[in-house]
């Protein structure tokens, strides 16, 4: 279920991204305003959520491939799921500063 939810979230992000990028051809001033809103701490949290969704979707996708194409995959799918979750947690912990560092400096100062 989480794989499908993250896939839908990533799709909607890409849809909005294409629309806001296309805005530069229609109205460069409005595009600049939209991009300025992306520098807020709230959007930084949303970006962290996007990183979480993409990372989980990618790692779980590899697990799904292993379950489908490896003869022993179905037998080990639960262990592979916990491995995916563990790797995801470690990588998300490592992504905190790069993704949220700017927002923390804006909110709490340097």
């Amino acid at each position: 279920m989480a794989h499908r939810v993250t896939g839908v979230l990533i799709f909607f992000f890409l849809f909005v991204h294409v629309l806001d990028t296309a805005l530069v051809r229609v109205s460069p001033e409005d595009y600049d305003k939209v991009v300025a809103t992306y520098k807020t701490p709230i959007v930084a949290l949303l970006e962290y959520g996007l990183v979480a969704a993409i990372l989980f979707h990618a790692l779980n996708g590899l697990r799904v491939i292993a379950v489908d194409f490896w003869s022993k995959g179905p037998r080990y799918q639960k262990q592979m799921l916990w491995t995916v979750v563990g790797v995801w947690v470690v990588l998300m912990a490592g992504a905190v500063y790069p993704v949220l560092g700017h927002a923390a400096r804006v909110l709490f100062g340097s």
Side-chain angles (χ1 to χ4, degrees), residues 3 57-70 80 84:
H3 192 74
H57 193 79
L59 293 171
N60 193 54
L62 294 174
R63 182 189 70 85
V64 169
I65 290 170
V67 169
D68 287 347
F69 292 107
W70 181 35
M80 287 189 291
V84 163

Side-chain angles (χ1 to χ4, degrees), residues 13-77:
F13 163 77
L14 290 173
F15 181 73
V16 170
H17 179 63
V18 168
L19 287 178
D20 72 4
T21 303
L23 187 61
V24 75
R25 294 180 61 73
V26 177
S27 173
E29 298 82 21
D30 289 336
Y31 174 79
D32 290 338
K33 290 177 188 175
V34 169
V35 170
T37 64
Y38 292 163
K39 297 175 183 172
T40 63
I42 292 171
V43 174
L45 285 173
L46 293 173
E47 286 177 345
Y48 189 70
L50 176 65
V51 170
I54 291 171
L55 192 56
F56 179 81
H57 193 79
L59 293 171
N60 193 54
L62 294 174
R63 182 189 70 85
V64 169
I65 290 170
V67 169
D68 287 347
F69 292 107
W70 181 35
S71 61
K72 296 180 183 179
R75 184 180 314 147
Y76 295 109
Q77 69 175 330

Side-chain angles (χ1 to χ4, degrees), residues 74-85:
R75 184 180 314 147
Y76 295 109
Q77 69 175 330
K78 192 171 189 177
Q79 292 90 335
M80 287 189 291
L81 175 62
W82 286 111
T83 302
V84 163
V85 170

